[in-house]
Amino acid sequence: MTDSPALSRRHEFVLLFDVTNGNPNGDPDAGNMPRLDPETNQGLVSDVALKRKIRNYVALAKGDAPGHEIYIRDGATLNVEHKRAFAALAPEIIKDEDFKKGPKDPVKADALTRWMCDNFYDIRAFGAVMSTGVNAGQVRGPVQLSFARSVEPILPLEISITRLAATTVADNEAKGGRTMGRKHIVPYGLYRAHGYVSAPLASHAVKGTGFSEADLDLLFDALDNMFDHDRSAARGEMATRKLVVFRHASALGNARAQSLFDRVTVDRTHAGSIQPIGAPATDNWPVARAFGDYAVRVDHSDLPDGIEIIER
């Protein structure tokens, strides 16, 4: 853990990111096609996928720095991590049934949960259920993300691909080494997600996670840069295009989140003209194929008292 002060003010944010010729979030129930809303054909990216990218960025940026381990990571065994807390704070508990119940002393039980929060960044941010056989408690995280949704409908494409190297000798003899395959892409899509950061759920005073001001700065750095370290052939080109943060002057907040989100609007633009998304195009406008086909506006006028807007 760092010595950074605990988070004392509520925040919300709007994240705009795009994909070009890639699959931003495949749906395993649909042959790994890009997720979409079947009624509107708007593309979707799950909150879980976004959190994965944040975790990966923090792991790269912080490495083994104290207080910045990642709890939900590839190859992790969660109960092993819970036992580390027991070894540090409750070494007298050695039986499996005692691990499952946890300490009888509520102060010690709370200390176990606190230890997990102090050592794992993603628990401080997103919370965790840590009662999976070795009971280290559970905690709600102050940081929550919505599903990202494309601002316009997308049209996923299925692309045929070939591989010249065979897997087996038999395949080489039968097919001449040539193997056919398919991949799904979105030619272009601009996605919008909303995020929430609760100061009370960060405060240790109300059994929060201890999410700090430094943790918040790291979160925003991750949102700015996470796609630059998540490259793959399947995902094409993805990039954060804009991050708009609404900072409140108090822990409970000074305005409703939705009224703040409404201040960020995305319109279509073409040949110097701008029109709202969904309005009939009067001049046969082409479909969007780049971020420059959109105009993003942030309304700073008549802000409620205690609200600050930060554009990144």
Side-chain angles (χ1 to χ4, degrees):
M1 276 292 291
T2 66
D3 295 327
S4 174
L7 190 68
S8 60
R9 293 178 289 179
R10 195 180 105 189
H11 295 72
E12 281 90 31
F13 58 86
V14 174
L15 173 68
L16 293 173
F17 64 90
D18 63 0
V19 59
T20 303
N21 295 331
N23 186 351
N25 187 203
D27 185 349
D29 290 328
N32 208 44
M33 285 182 59
R35 297 182 190 272
L36 54 80
D37 181 331
E39 292 187 331
T40 65
N41 283 333
Q42 288 173 289
L44 301 173
V45 174
S46 72
D47 60 317
V48 175
L50 296 174
K51 288 177 180 178
R52 175 76 272 146
K53 291 168 177 38
I54 293 169
R55 288 182 169 103
N56 290 346
Y57 178 84
V58 171
L60 288 173
K62 291 298 184 179
D64 296 328
H68 293 86
E69 294 183 59
I70 298 299
Y71 177 66
I72 302 296
R73 66 187 189 280
D74 187 27
T77 303
L78 302 185
N79 283 349
V80 171
E81 305 299 345
H82 302 173
K83 286 185 177 181
R84 289 175 56 197
F86 277 83
L89 301 174
E92 73 279 1
I93 295 179
I94 58 174
K95 297 180 180 179
D96 288 344
E97 57 267 26
D98 293 332
F99 278 125
K100 187 172 183 178
K101 295 176 183 176
K104 295 180 180 178
D105 182 356
V107 174
K108 185 163 286 189
D110 182 64
L112 288 172
T113 305
R114 180 76 60 88
W115 189 94
M116 295 296 291
C117 290
D118 288 347
N119 283 275
F120 293 94
Y121 177 87
D122 53 336
I123 294 178
R124 286 199 304 281
F126 308 128
V129 176
M130 301 171 287
S131 52
T132 54
V134 176
N135 191 354
Q138 54 183 288
V139 64
R140 286 179 62 194
V143 179
Q144 299 301 330
L145 295 167
S146 70
F147 268 53
R149 177 179 290 268
S150 65
V151 298
E152 290 190 287
I154 61 170
L155 181 62
L157 300 180
E158 188 174 38
I159 307 297
S160 296
I161 56 177
T162 60
R163 186 182 68 181
L164 297 180
T167 303
T168 66
V169 173
D171 285 344
N172 198 13
E173 293 175 349
K175 304 174 183 178
R178 193 176 294 272
T179 304
M180 300 294 293
R182 292 184 178 276
K183 66 186 299 184
H184 300 281
I185 68 166
V186 175
Y188 183 79
L190 178 64
Y191 289 74
R192 173 174 177 154
H194 294 166
Y196 310 82
V197 187
S198 167
L201 291 179
S203 173
H204 277 323
V206 290
K207 294 189 176 182
T209 65
F211 191 78
S212 68
E213 293 285 351
D215 289 332
L216 182 68
D217 290 340
L218 181 56
L219 172 68
F220 292 151
D221 285 343
L223 293 171
D224 278 335
N225 301 298
M226 59 189 181
F227 295 113
D228 286 334
H229 302 278
D230 189 56
R231 303 298 184 191
S232 77
R235 279 187 279 279
E237 293 184 72
M238 296 186 67
T240 293
R241 290 299 187 170
K242 196 168 189 64
L243 179 62
V244 182
V245 179
F246 298 96
R247 175 173 288 162
H248 298 250
S250 66
L252 293 180
N254 300 82
R256 293 181 178 179
Q258 202 58 49
S259 68
L260 299 177
F261 293 148
D262 288 344
R263 289 177 172 270
V264 181
T265 55
V266 182
D267 297 319
R268 278 298 313 275
T269 181
H270 174 61
S273 299
I274 295 176
Q275 70 173 19
I277 288 175
T282 55
D283 299 315
N284 296 318
W285 284 21
V287 296
R289 284 294 182 263
F291 183 62
D293 293 329
Y294 293 98
V296 179
R297 182 174 65 88
V298 182
D299 182 6
H300 289 257
S301 64
D302 299 322
L303 281 176
D305 291 341
I307 296 296
E308 176 187 2
I309 299 178
I310 304 168
E311 297 188 47
R312 297 170 64 110

